[in-house]
Amino acid sequence: MRFQFSSSSLLALSCLGCAAQQLSDAPSRENFYRRGQVSATVIGNYVYFDGGEISQLVDGKPPGQQNYQSNSVNSTISIDLSKSWTTSDVVMRTIERPWYSKMNQVIWTDREAGHFYLWGGTWIRGRNMTENTLWKFTPDGNGAGTWTVEPAANTKFFNDLHQSERSVFVSTKDTGFAIGGIASGWTGLYRASNQIIPGMVAFNMKTKIWQNGTTAFSPFDSLLGGTAEYVPFGPNGLVVVLGGTAHPVNNGKVLDEDTARHFDFHNLTLFDPQTKRQYWQVATGTIPPSPRIAFCTAGFQNPDSGYEIFLFGGSNARDRFVYDDAYVLSLPGFVWTKVPTSPAGLRRSLACVPVGKRQVLSIGGTSIGDSKSKGFNEQDPAPQGLLLFDITELKWKDSYDPNAAAYVRAADIEAWYSNG
Ligand SMILES: *[C@@H]1O[C@H](CO)[C@@H](O)[C@H](O)[C@H]1NC(C)=O
Ligand SMILES: *[C@@H]1O[C@H](CO)[C@@H](O)[C@H](O)[C@H]1NC(C)=O
Ligand SMILES: *[C@@H]1O[C@H](CO)[C@@H](O)[C@H](O)[C@H]1NC(C)=O
Ligand SMILES: *[C@@H]1O[C@H](CO)[C@@H](O)[C@H](O)[C@H]1NC(C)=O
């Protein structure tokens, strides 16, 4: 009798234990629902990503039945690229982070020095906001690393810069650029109003000097939600800016779609990161539909000194729908090729990085959802929210190959060059 009694109380205890199941920054494949608004980069053998929100099953309860459908991710995450894995058995390592969570942060990578920076973004639920800070991550080479504050060489100037979210960012060999963005009470401490941020900020990763090139060198009045890729052409390289929306800077209704200028993928804007000279170039082929924001891109240099940019997903804020299509822009031909549509549905607010020579890793993304759930209450058909795309075979995959052959242009794209 006594034995039976204690075994049933043990059972009760273990049920209490399961009722207290914790939310996780890296839940199991079964519990994972959605991840969105992360910023990602690759250094050495690891992908690192930070920020954003996640939704998951807790005690078998879907996100819609929890206090919050989505929760801030409270650590930086890394994935090992030296080993093969599938999107179902991938191991995500969590790394402690000294500030409370943000989403849509600017990420800049100093490839030569082997570290990366995070700046700006939205403080999730406005919690634990701090003064303007640039954070630097120094990897330890084994999938973890350390976050430290990176002081500006021109401190006073830096302190006065407006932090924003959804600016378009890119890293060249020595400089990080952030074009446009929107500042709000969630991006800056004590900020009262929403404001479209004009122009372009530059951070020199070698000298740590910040500049605001708004009047001197920005190719845009304002810009939100596009992407930019640094292409190693010519002595200084070129930055190709893709998609996004320009909202008038001094408009009371800051995100008004009627007064916005939507950038298409036909007439592309480029600038020289050194001279800041601006160029435009008309592209041909199958042009991705626009308006489009919150999509992702990833770039690959090919052995013929050309460069291909993969573009995937996003949303059309004007007509209110989400995309699931994908394209490759080939340079120097400036020709777009439509590639197979994602096998895992509509996806916006995602990040893409080039991994393993010729694969794109797409991280997170939410689907349409209702306005309240922001798409976090629908389980992602992609395990762990991850998708892989082989840019030579032009095929979606669910396994990562660390031994993939070197990148060469896909046969279909190469044919465009050889046929003139
Ligand atoms: C992150 O921390 C916040 C604040 O403590 C908490 O509300 C949230 O649930 C945490 N997120 C996860 C995924 O555990
Ligand atoms: C956020 O603020 C709360 C309350 O001040 C504190 O307990 C918590 O440790 C802070 N979290 C972070 C990550 O700074
Ligand atoms: C850069 O300068 C312009 C013009 O003074 C200003 O409106 C803008 O907010 C500044 N950008 C940032 C990020 O502070
Ligand atoms: C492309 O856009 C630029 C402005 O950004 C404009 O000056 C140029 O005329 C456009 N070209 C075409 C062919 O539409």
Side-chain angles (χ1 to χ4, degrees):
M1 284 304 278
R2 208 179 145 199
F3 175 72
Q4 269 180 6
F5 177 81
S6 57
S7 87
S8 66
S9 64
L10 262 180
L11 257 179
L13 264 181
S14 67
C15 255
L16 275 178
C18 70
Q21 186 185 332
Q22 293 293 306
L23 289 165
S24 168
D25 288 343
S28 67
R29 177 211 192 296
E30 291 72 29
N31 285 346
F32 175 82
Y33 252 57
R34 284 279 172 179
R35 189 189 288 282
Q37 297 120 349
V38 307
S39 307
T41 190
V42 175
I43 292 182
N45 275 333
Y46 294 88
V47 175
Y48 300 91
F49 54 94
D50 188 83
E53 294 184 284
I54 190 164
S55 63
Q56 57 200 281
L57 284 173
V58 177
D59 292 328
K61 261 199 219 160
Q65 292 172 29
Q66 299 166 23
N67 291 348
Y68 296 103
Q69 298 198 337
S70 54
N71 282 272
S72 54
V73 174
N74 297 312
S75 38
T76 305
I77 294 173
S78 73
I79 297 176
D80 190 350
L81 294 174
S82 67
K83 301 186 180 80
S84 60
W85 40 261
T86 70
T87 54
S88 297
D89 68 14
V90 62
V91 175
M92 294 193 189
R93 176 160 177 190
T94 55
I95 307 161
E96 206 178 315
R97 182 188 54 207
W99 72 94
Y100 183 67
S101 205
K102 298 185 186 186
M103 56 187 178
N104 297 324
Q105 301 166 98
V106 166
I107 189 163
W108 287 321
T109 309
D110 185 339
R111 299 212 174 277
E112 203 180 83
H115 48 233
F116 70 92
Y117 300 92
L118 285 177
W119 183 58
T122 305
W123 292 93
I124 296 169
R125 302 199 179 100
R127 275 198 192 132
N128 296 42
M129 293 175 67
T130 65
E131 304 280 356
N132 197 5
T133 309
L134 177 71
W135 287 99
K136 176 168 116 180
F137 185 83
T138 310
D140 68 359
N142 295 307
T146 337
W147 281 110
T148 48
V149 173
E150 185 75 341
N154 46 347
T155 316
K156 166 84 180 75
F157 179 87
F158 173 71
N159 292 344
D160 291 340
L161 280 178
H162 295 288
Q163 297 178 89
S164 70
E165 69 159 323
R166 288 155 68 192
S167 57
V168 173
F169 50 82
V170 64
S171 316
T172 68
K173 283 190 185 129
D174 57 13
T175 306
F177 291 101
I179 312 168
I182 177 169
S184 72
W186 308 107
T187 63
L189 203 54
Y190 315 126
R191 164 177 279 282
S193 60
N194 295 347
Q195 188 190 335
I196 292 292
I197 299 299
M200 177 162 81
V201 165
F203 167 64
N204 187 311
M205 298 188 279
K206 306 293 176 206
T207 63
K208 318 295 177 194
I209 292 173
W210 289 76
Q211 280 181 286
N212 178 348
T214 298
T215 46
F217 59 63
S218 177
F220 295 87
D221 294 338
S222 75
L223 192 60
L224 275 190
T227 68
E229 289 288 332
Y230 173 71
V231 180
F233 286 178
N236 306 329
L238 276 175
V239 175
V240 183
V241 185
L242 295 159
T245 298
H247 292 271
V249 172
N250 293 312
N251 186 339
K253 301 193 286 177
V254 285
L255 290 182
D256 182 19
E257 286 293 318
D258 297 334
T259 52
R261 175 173 171 214
H262 303 285
F263 290 95
D264 62 37
F265 296 90
H266 171 64
N267 188 355
L268 305 176
T269 305
L270 291 83
F271 69 91
D272 179 318
Q274 212 64 43
T275 64
K276 312 298 187 296
R277 229 184 112 180
Q278 191 188 333
Y279 307 89
W280 58 267
Q281 171 70 48
V282 164
T284 59
T286 312
I287 315 275
S290 55
R292 193 182 291 244
I293 58 167
F295 56 92
C296 72
T297 52
F300 295 81
Q301 183 160 27
N302 67 46
D304 301 330
S305 307
Y307 201 85
E308 272 73 43
I309 299 171
F310 171 82
L311 180 152
F312 173 37
S315 68
N316 176 331
R318 186 189 65 193
D319 310 316
R320 294 171 180 277
F321 65 86
V322 178
Y323 292 103
D324 59 1
D325 49 356
Y327 300 82
V328 173
L329 174 67
S330 177
L331 308 183
F334 282 90
V335 58
W336 285 103
T337 302
K338 189 172 191 321
V339 300
T341 288
S342 152
L346 309 169
R347 200 167 294 272
R348 62 158 176 195
S349 304
L350 67 165
C352 287
V353 284
V355 295
K357 299 191 183 120
R358 54 188 253 185
Q359 298 156 83
V360 179
L361 175 64
S362 160
I363 306 168
T366 54
S367 61
I368 221 160
D370 51 49
S371 58
K372 200 166 148 257
S373 76
K374 293 182 283 175
F376 277 99
N377 195 25
E378 184 219 46
Q379 193 159 32
D380 198 331
Q384 296 289 7
L386 303 178
L387 288 161
L388 289 147
F389 185 82
D390 185 311
I391 186 164
T392 297
E393 290 178 37
L394 303 183
K395 267 194 195 141
W396 292 96
K397 301 201 162 172
D398 52 19
S399 58
Y400 166 73
D401 178 4
N403 304 313
Y407 172 60
V408 290
R409 264 186 198 125
D412 283 5
I413 298 174
E414 190 55 42
W416 184 89
Y417 287 91
S418 32
N419 299 341

